[in-house]
Amino acid sequence: MKLLSYPITLIFFACFGLTLVIFHPIQWVCLHVFGYNAHHTSVFVLNWFLMRCTNILGTRYRFENTQQIPTDRPLIIVTNHQSMYDIPPIIWYMRKYHPKFVAKKELGKGIPSVSYNLRHGGSALIDRKDGKQAIMEIGKLGSYIEKHTRSAVIFPEGTRSRTGKPKPFKPMGLKMLMKKAPSALLVPITINNSWKLLRFGQFPMGLGAYVKFKVHAPIENTGNPDEVIKLVEKTITKAIL
């Protein structure tokens, strides 16, 4: 399987990279000529194509969402983190909630389409070595989603799990979002099997992963923040296979 993945990975990288390059000027035109809504549309269409690129690897997706999640309230989407390929399905399937991400600042430059969207689409770029800067940026994102009724996506583990086994939540960033967006609903999402795309590392890619997302019932941002975060963490981790 690993030997077979070498040539298939090369095809995947070519398609993935070409998609990013093509959508970079599309995003620019959409934002600067037609405004936010056009840019938002270009971003979720981009991520649909990125998902199709992973189909070359035999990747399949199941996004289970039976919840009635309102669109007239801001959301804080909280999820475990297994790979960079967690992100396109969240953007695509949660597109009507306008998801914005808490991302490390290194992603804000050098990557066609991705860096542009992170810098101009409302996401928070944080320096993981500078706790004060990180909290301030997350606070700005919380204020942004509260004002514009959008959603913030945060991976409280901090770094991705390379085996799928969850890491303990680091609560500070999530607490700041909850403080700055007091009307937001917390929406836990459990991700399974995304790590298998990187089971061999960055190259070659893993083949045949069946990546599953499960959206849990929203949780109100009320009461003791520590208790709410513990409930969110328990909800997410108990569904990790």
Side-chain angles (χ1 to χ4, degrees), residues 201-222:
Q202 295 294 333
F203 185 85
M205 299 288 293
L207 302 182
Y210 186 14
V211 184
K212 301 177 182 179
F213 294 75
K214 180 176 177 60
V215 180
H216 302 280
I219 297 171
E220 288 286 350
N221 178 12
T222 57

Side-chain angles (χ1 to χ4, degrees), residues 148-161:
H148 297 285
T149 318
R150 291 172 185 156
S151 62
V153 182
I154 187 168
F155 303 106
E157 293 166 297
T159 57
R160 64 183 177 87
S161 169

Side-chain angles (χ1 to χ4, degrees), residues 4 50 58 61 79 86 90 108 139 147 179 197 217:
L4 179 62
L50 294 179
Y61 294 95
T79 178
D86 298 337
I90 293 175
K147 178 180 179 180
K179 178 181 178 181
L197 282 157

Side-chain angles (χ1 to χ4, degrees), residues 12 16 47-64 83-90 92-93 191-194 197 205 208-213:
F12 161 72
F16 196 88
N47 282 273
W48 183 87
F49 277 101
L50 294 179
M51 290 170 62
R52 302 292 72 79
C53 290
T54 64
N55 294 153
I56 296 169
L57 302 166
T59 306
R60 295 174 293 150
Y61 294 95
R62 187 179 78 184
F63 200 96
E64 181 183 340
S83 82
M84 61 179 283
Y85 301 99
D86 298 337
I87 295 171
I90 293 175
W92 171 251
Y93 287 106
I191 301 173
N192 280 296
N193 298 331
S194 175
L197 282 157
M205 299 288 293
Y210 186 14
V211 184
K212 301 177 182 179
F213 294 75

Side-chain angles (χ1 to χ4, degrees), residues 31-85:
L31 181 61
H32 290 279
V33 177
F34 301 105
Y36 171 83
N37 286 331
H39 178 239
H40 170 63
T41 300
S42 73
V43 170
F44 70 68
V45 172
L46 160 66
N47 282 273
W48 183 87
F49 277 101
L50 294 179
M51 290 170 62
R52 302 292 72 79
C53 290
T54 64
N55 294 153
I56 296 169
L57 302 166
T59 306
R60 295 174 293 150
Y61 294 95
R62 187 179 78 184
F63 200 96
E64 181 183 340
N65 182 11
T66 60
Q67 310 301 327
Q68 298 297 318
I69 302 173
T71 57
D72 59 351
R73 292 180 63 178
L75 305 178
I76 300 172
I77 298 171
V78 189
T79 178
N80 60 312
H81 193 26
Q82 296 188 350
S83 82
M84 61 179 283
Y85 301 99

